[in-house]
């Protein structure tokens, strides 16, 4: 792989492009925090319950749905759609070279959908579900394109640091808006009004701060000439490119093994962070203020955690640092099992521990994967990467639910997630990073000499 001119670390133009890339993380992460993690997961079921009653049923295409399940079913449907949609988006982006246009088209549609959530009234569950679905799909598709820009902005020895800074900027941006919404919760007594305004604020924040990367990334070199469709529409050509990628994936067995490892351990990460509040509420008997403030702790502490692991990767290499982070995750899951009920300080300390490895393990996984994929196929391969993290993270909640159902213990259920970190670690250790990078035709980072 030939390093692009934009990958020179000291080049002012490169620094500017990277700042634009970081700025997108700052602007878009609010969807993950304010919309997905905190407000829509609570507001949409409440709206559905207001419409039909707690014991009533919603009917979608004739299928009865309990109001409390509307949000999770919407996420599940979106995840299934993404398995089909994201590879098509990736193939289209690589085929046309119009990554910047695709990124901001998806992102602004997502931001507009979030802003429009202010109109979701107390019984407007259909409007709420549709707007959330659109925002969810467009955010994830934009992220495919966003991630695919990483190899174009950073060379082999800079990729870990650039990926880590981008992830840290996202945590900081998401944390700042969530903190503002947390302050607003003390000023706005009506929880429904608070939710609508907070959801709208995420869309406004996303759209407003996205002006910065939209302007800066206009200078991003386009590879359209190399990937433009030779015949037919770019959309149909995207299907063809996707088919070629899936057929040729067998030529990169180490990259495929890494994807499998990431799928497993990310499932553990996603399930732990998603169900931590549920564990704190039902098993540890912690109040809502404690749970929400713990989410804020995770957001801001993760900013430092990402940068810390990024710095460690310069010395030890990404694979070694990610492997040790999975060991730490296993320790944290064990400690979570022994937390005492009614002790918020212990829960806060666990949140800080999670923060140290949460973003760093994901940011370094992203940069490691970026080195294992062939040139010109970045968006297509990152669509598969996003499927591993967004479209298939269902086994963890299933295991958690089965253990809870059969034991009646949230402690046993949370401890069962250690299996994902142990298995993911074993698979990661089996990955030959050197062979994966060489097979993809990319230059080897100097830190690879420190990895075993």
């Amino acid at each position: 792989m030939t390093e692009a001119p934009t990958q020179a670390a000291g080049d002012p133009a490169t620094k500017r492009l990277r700042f634009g890339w970081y700025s997108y993380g700052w602007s878009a992460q609010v969807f993950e925090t304010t919309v997905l993690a905190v407000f829509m997961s609570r507001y949409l079921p409440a709206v559905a319950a207001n419409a039909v009653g707690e014991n009533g049923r919603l009917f979608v295409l004739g299928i009865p749905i309990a109001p409390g399940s509307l949000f999770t079913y919407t996420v599940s449907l979106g995840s299934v759609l993404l398995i089909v949609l994201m590879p098509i988006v990736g193939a289209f982006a690589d085929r046309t070279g119009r990554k910047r246009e695709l990124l901001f088209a998806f992102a602004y549609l997502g931001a507009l959908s979030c802003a429009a959530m202010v109109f979701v009234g107390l019984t407007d569950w259909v409007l709420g579900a549709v707007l959330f679905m659109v925002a969810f799909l467009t955010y994830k598709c934009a992220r495919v394109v966003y991630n695919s820009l990483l190899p174009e902005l950073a060379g082999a020895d800079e990729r870990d640091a650039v990926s880590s800074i981008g992830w840290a900027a996202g945590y900081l941006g998401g944390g700042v808006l969530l903190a503002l919404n947390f302050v607003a919760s003390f000023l706005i007594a009506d929880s429904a009004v608070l939710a609508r305004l907070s959801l709208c604020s995420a869309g406004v924040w996303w759209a407003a701060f996205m002006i910065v990367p939209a302007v800066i990334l206009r200078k991003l070199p386009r590879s359209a000439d190399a990937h433009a469709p030779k015949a037919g529409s770019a959309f149909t050509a995207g299907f063809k490119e996707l088919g070629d990628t899936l057929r040729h994936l067998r030529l990169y067995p180490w990259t495929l093994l890494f994807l499998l490892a990431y799928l497993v351990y990310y499932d553990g990460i996603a399930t732990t962070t998603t169900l931590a509040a549920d564990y704190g509420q039902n098993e540890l008997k912690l109040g809502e203020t404690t749970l929400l403030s713990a989410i804020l702790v995770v957001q801001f502490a993760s900013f430092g955690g990402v940068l810390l692991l990024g710095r460690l990767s310069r010395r030890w290499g990404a694979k070694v640092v990610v492997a040790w982070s999975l060991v730490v995750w296993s320790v944290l899951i064990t400690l979570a099992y022994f937390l005492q009920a009614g002790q918020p300080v212990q829960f806060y300390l666990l949140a800080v521990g999670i923060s140290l490895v949460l973003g760093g393990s994901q940011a370094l996984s992203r940069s490691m994967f970026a080195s294992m994929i062939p040139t010109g196929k970045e968006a297509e391969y990152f669509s598969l990467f996003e499927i591993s993290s967004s479209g298939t993270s269902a086994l963890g909640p299933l295991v958690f639910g089965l253990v809870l159902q059969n034991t009646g213990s949230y402690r046993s259920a949370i401890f069962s997630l250690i299996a994902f970190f142990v298995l993911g670690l074993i698979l990661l250790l089996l990955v030959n990073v050197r062979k994966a990078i060489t097979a993809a035709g990319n230059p080897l980072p100097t830190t690879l000499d420190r990895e075993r």
Side-chain angles (χ1 to χ4, degrees):
M1 173 180 173
T2 303
E3 296 292 340
T6 58
Q7 293 174 349
D11 182 4
T14 300
K15 292 181 179 179
R16 180 175 172 82
L17 288 173
R18 289 177 183 174
F19 179 77
W21 192 74
Y22 302 150
S23 299
Y24 179 80
W26 164 279
S27 68
Q29 183 67 19
V30 295
F31 177 81
E32 295 267 7
T33 53
T34 295
V35 179
L36 188 60
V38 178
F39 287 101
M40 204 57 170
S41 60
R42 299 164 182 252
Y43 186 59
L44 189 58
V47 168
N50 287 336
V52 298
E54 288 288 346
N55 298 319
R57 289 294 181 267
L58 311 169
F59 287 90
V60 179
L61 300 177
I63 301 173
I65 296 176
S69 300
L70 178 61
F71 177 78
T72 54
Y73 285 155
T74 304
V75 172
S76 297
L77 176 60
S79 297
V80 172
L81 293 176
L82 285 172
I83 293 175
V84 177
L85 185 59
M86 287 195 295
I88 302 301
V89 170
F92 184 87
D94 285 333
R95 185 72 173 181
T96 63
R98 297 182 177 274
K99 293 183 179 180
R100 177 185 173 275
E101 292 87 340
L102 277 175
L103 171 63
F104 293 107
F106 281 125
Y108 270 109
L109 182 56
L112 179 62
S113 299
C114 291
M117 291 175 186
V118 72
F119 299 112
V120 179
L122 293 178
T123 59
D124 298 327
W125 65 271
V126 175
L127 177 62
V130 170
L131 289 175
F132 174 72
M133 177 67 80
V134 173
F136 181 75
L137 294 177
T138 52
Y139 170 80
K140 295 295 187 179
C141 288
R143 192 165 184 84
V144 168
V145 184
Y146 169 73
N147 285 339
S148 75
L149 296 176
L150 176 59
E152 301 179 29
L153 297 174
D157 289 327
E158 304 164 309
R159 209 160 281 154
D160 291 344
V162 172
S163 181
S164 297
I165 294 172
W167 217 287
Y171 275 121
L172 191 59
V176 169
L177 181 62
L178 190 59
L180 294 175
N181 289 323
F182 186 67
V183 171
S185 68
F186 295 101
L187 306 175
I188 302 175
D190 190 325
S191 59
V193 172
L194 173 65
R196 291 164 63 184
L197 291 178
S198 297
L199 292 167
C200 180
S201 72
V204 173
W205 175 289
W206 191 358
F209 281 106
M210 202 156 49
I211 295 174
V212 176
V215 171
I216 292 177
L217 293 179
R218 286 186 303 177
K219 302 294 185 180
L220 185 71
R222 182 188 294 173
S223 55
D225 291 340
H227 303 295
K230 298 178 180 178
S233 71
F235 184 74
T236 56
F239 278 97
K240 182 179 182 300
E241 289 291 305
L242 172 60
D244 291 342
T245 296
L246 293 177
R247 284 192 296 271
H248 293 153
L249 188 59
R250 59 184 177 81
L251 300 177
Y252 308 104
W254 298 111
T255 302
L256 186 58
L257 180 59
F258 175 80
L259 268 179
L260 178 61
Y262 182 70
L263 184 155
V264 173
Y265 67 73
Y266 182 84
D267 208 344
I269 293 173
T271 305
T272 302
T273 54
T274 300
L275 297 175
D278 192 31
Y279 180 68
Q281 179 178 4
N282 291 288
E283 181 66 34
L284 305 181
K285 310 302 179 184
L286 301 175
E288 182 144 336
T289 301
T290 298
L291 298 175
L292 288 177
S293 57
I295 294 175
L296 277 175
V297 168
V298 168
Q299 284 297 309
F300 287 109
S302 291
F303 172 79
V306 172
L307 297 180
L308 172 63
L309 265 63
R311 183 172 293 273
L312 291 176
S313 71
R314 298 179 192 174
R315 179 177 178 83
W316 304 109
K319 178 182 174 181
V320 171
V321 175
V322 172
W324 276 107
S325 76
L326 297 180
V327 174
V328 174
W329 271 107
S330 300
V331 172
L332 291 171
I333 290 294
T334 303
L335 293 176
Y337 179 86
F338 292 103
L339 291 185
Q340 296 175 309
Q343 297 293 325
V345 174
Q346 294 181 8
F347 192 72
Y348 285 131
L349 291 175
L350 180 68
V352 171
I354 288 176
S355 304
L356 293 177
V357 291
L358 174 60
S361 55
Q362 297 174 78
L364 293 178
S365 295
R366 177 172 66 181
S367 59
M368 202 172 4
F369 182 71
S371 299
M372 299 179 180
I373 57 181
T375 305
K377 296 283 189 178
E378 293 87 358
E380 291 176 55
Y381 276 84
F382 265 110
S383 70
L384 302 179
F385 182 81
E386 283 297 314
I387 285 175
S388 294
S389 61
S390 304
T392 58
S393 295
L395 187 57
L398 176 62
V399 170
F400 185 95
L402 289 174
V403 174
L404 177 62
Q405 178 176 323
N406 287 281
T407 66
S409 170
Y410 274 90
R411 294 184 185 275
S412 298
I414 200 73
F415 186 72
S416 68
L417 299 180
I418 198 173
F420 291 90
F421 298 106
V422 173
L423 179 57
L425 174 60
I426 293 172
L427 292 172
L428 177 63
L429 293 177
L430 293 175
V431 175
N432 190 315
V433 177
R434 181 183 297 275
K435 289 184 177 180
I437 296 175
T438 302
N442 296 328
L444 296 171
T446 56
T447 55
L448 196 61
D449 293 334
R450 306 181 187 112
E451 296 182 5
R452 297 291 183 266

